[in-house]
């Protein structure tokens, strides 16, 4: 019911967002506490890479975006790990959620953002298939680009582009508004000894 209400709110033309600087380190700490039990039950290693990044977003909806992506990663990962971190690219950052789960077939990568769509064997991930639909709507409304890369049987990475907040010389906060560009092969570092993307995750 909460998911349906979220979709209804996001589809409304009268929805209001309250954008402000969001400290991703604080968000990560809350999410780590929230999802540690879920990962522990499945025997998964859940890691949030510490970060000092501050981004411009609506804190409530950004948390909902992250919650849905982390929850999905855990649901669709039967063994291994889920890693959440930030990849910096100049004045922009990507929120990245990596997993070693079942992966998404190429033919399904567009429909996973539709309502009531689920990928995988029956019984693997209980739910209504609304989480990614909420993510897509929220990202579109906030102007946060989202991408997905996956390899069947080896895992998936979702990326959400966020404008970074930086201090001016006078100490005031300003928003650096540039369109992030994803690192083409950065997601592969998860299961490769040597990363194919040189951009560090901070």
């Amino acid at each position: 019911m909460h998911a349906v209400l979220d979709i209804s709110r996001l589809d409304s033309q009268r929805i209001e967002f309250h954008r402000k600087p969001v400290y991703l380190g604080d968000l990560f700490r809350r999410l780590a506490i929230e999802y540690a039990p879920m990962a522990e039950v499945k025997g998964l290693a859940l890691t949030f890479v510490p970060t000092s990044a501050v981004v411009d977003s609506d804190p409530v909806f950004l948390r909902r975006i992250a919650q849905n992506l982390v929850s999905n990663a855990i649901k669709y990962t039967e063994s291994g790990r889920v890693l959440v971190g930030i990849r910096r690219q100049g004045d922009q950052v990507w929120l990245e959620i990596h997993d070693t789960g079942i992966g998404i077939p190429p033919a399904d990568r567009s429909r996973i953002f539709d309502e009531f769509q689920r990928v995988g064997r029956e019984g693997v991930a209980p739910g209504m298939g609304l989480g990614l639909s909420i993510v897509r709507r929220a990202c579109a409304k906030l102007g946060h680009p989202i991408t997905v890369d996956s390899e069947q049987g080896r895992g998936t990475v979702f990326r959400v582009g966020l404008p970074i907040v930086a201090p001016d010389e006078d100490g005031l906060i300003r928003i650096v508004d540039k369109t992030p560009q994803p690192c083409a092969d950065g997601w592969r570092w998860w299961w490769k000894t040597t990363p194919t993307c040189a951009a560090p995750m901070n």
Side-chain angles (χ1 to χ4, degrees), residues 11-125:
D11 281 345
S12 171
Q13 297 300 319
R14 291 181 289 182
I15 188 171
E16 293 185 6
F17 293 100
H18 303 284
R19 299 183 76 116
K20 58 192 295 187
V22 180
Y23 293 79
L24 292 181
D26 292 341
L27 175 61
F28 282 10
R29 283 187 286 273
R30 293 196 297 270
L31 293 173
I33 294 172
E34 182 177 356
Y35 287 101
M38 183 178 177
E40 186 176 355
V41 166
K42 299 189 69 175
L44 303 176
L46 175 61
T47 303
F48 287 81
V49 180
T51 179
S52 59
V54 185
V55 299
D56 172 51
S57 188
D58 180 296
V60 173
F61 280 98
L62 181 57
R63 181 171 181 174
R64 290 291 286 138
I65 289 168
Q67 284 175 321
N68 279 305
L69 292 176
V70 172
S71 174
N72 259 26
I74 295 173
K75 285 179 181 178
Y76 285 95
T77 301
E78 299 179 32
S79 63
R81 307 181 66 181
V82 173
L83 175 71
V84 183
I86 295 297
R87 191 177 300 276
R88 295 178 183 269
Q89 290 189 313
D91 293 331
Q92 304 134 41
V93 298
W94 286 93
L95 167 63
E96 298 190 354
I97 297 88
H98 297 248
D99 68 59
T100 56
I102 62 176
I104 305 169
D108 293 328
R109 289 176 198 165
S110 58
R111 74 177 183 87
I112 58 172
F113 292 101
D114 296 334
E115 296 87 348
F116 307 109
Q117 296 295 320
R118 300 170 63 212
V119 177
R121 301 188 300 276
E122 288 297 323
V124 170

Side-chain angles (χ1 to χ4, degrees), residues 31 43 61 72 82 87 110 116 136 141 144 160-161 164 168 185 196-197:
L31 293 173
F61 280 98
N72 259 26
V82 173
R87 191 177 300 276
S110 58
F116 307 109
R136 176 178 61 82
K141 290 280 188 177
H144 299 335
V160 178
I164 195 168
D168 270 328
D185 294 320
T196 55
C197 174

